[in-house]
Amino acid sequence: MQTFTVVSLLIALLLAGCTATQDSASDNPLLNELTMLTGKDAKPCGMVALGQKPDAAWACAQEADKRDSAYWIAIELEGVDSDIWHAAMRTPSGQYFVLEYDSNYMGAPGLLPRFKRDACETIDMRSRVSHVIFRCLRIINGEFTRQVQHPRSS
């Protein structure tokens, strides 16, 4: 009977250990994507909530960039029926990206995330009254030929 109790206890401990490992990963798809792209050692310059000023987070990103370090910054925008975030990042290899995240692009119940990512030569940020624009400058055919603004306005 003692053998059964010891074996049961060992199984319970092993299962608890597996559950703790699974729960240690973030349940936030945006944070998971940013970490995957920039690495675990990237400077997390902030997730700026809707209506908050991004100045300190952007200053952090610029400082990390001056040190040639990976970083990310994400800014929440107003969505109709889902969470909308725009992010700017630099990878450990020095590649810049602007990322758009929509937690549910179909507007259906549940989580149905979509990511759109643009590679950039440089990233600039402009604050507007109601939102922030990340400007992504890309090289096409060896020249700076196209500038994309996020969010896209209609």
Side-chain angles (χ1 to χ4, degrees):
M1 180 121 168
Q2 270 187 335
T3 304
F4 178 74
T5 305
V6 171
V7 170
S8 297
L9 181 60
L10 286 174
I11 290 172
L13 288 172
L14 287 172
L15 290 175
C18 291
T19 303
T21 302
Q22 292 170 350
D23 290 343
S24 66
S26 173
D27 290 331
N28 182 330
L30 174 60
L31 187 55
N32 290 340
E33 186 80 1
L34 292 169
T35 302
M36 180 195 65
L37 292 168
T38 61
K40 64 179 180 62
D41 295 327
K43 177 76 173 171
C45 288
M47 294 186 75
V48 182
L50 183 64
Q52 300 298 310
K53 292 188 179 267
D55 300 340
W58 183 243
C60 168
Q62 290 175 310
E63 185 60 35
D65 195 43
K66 285 179 190 173
R67 292 190 313 266
D68 294 327
S69 298
Y71 68 84
W72 59 261
I73 172 179
I75 298 173
E76 184 179 21
L77 300 175
E78 189 168 354
V80 175
D81 54 9
S82 61
D83 297 328
I84 306 293
W85 289 81
H86 286 211
M89 69 192 82
R90 178 188 171 135
T91 67
S93 66
Q95 176 66 55
Y96 298 96
F97 291 101
V98 169
L99 181 77
E100 296 178 25
Y101 169 72
D102 186 333
S103 67
N104 194 331
Y105 73 98
M106 302 273 303
L111 183 66
L112 188 58
R114 175 171 61 185
F115 295 96
K116 290 170 54 181
R117 184 174 63 213
D118 288 320
C120 310
E121 179 64 22
T122 71
I123 298 172
D124 190 23
M125 184 189 82
R126 295 282 184 244
S127 294
R128 302 290 187 246
V129 173
S130 62
H131 60 275
V132 172
I133 297 173
F134 285 118
R135 296 190 307 173
C136 183
L137 195 57
R138 294 190 272 179
I139 297 178
I140 300 175
N141 296 327
E143 297 182 8
F144 293 106
T145 58
R146 183 172 177 207
Q147 191 167 343
V148 178
Q149 292 187 342
H150 297 273
R152 292 176 178 91
S153 57
S154 50

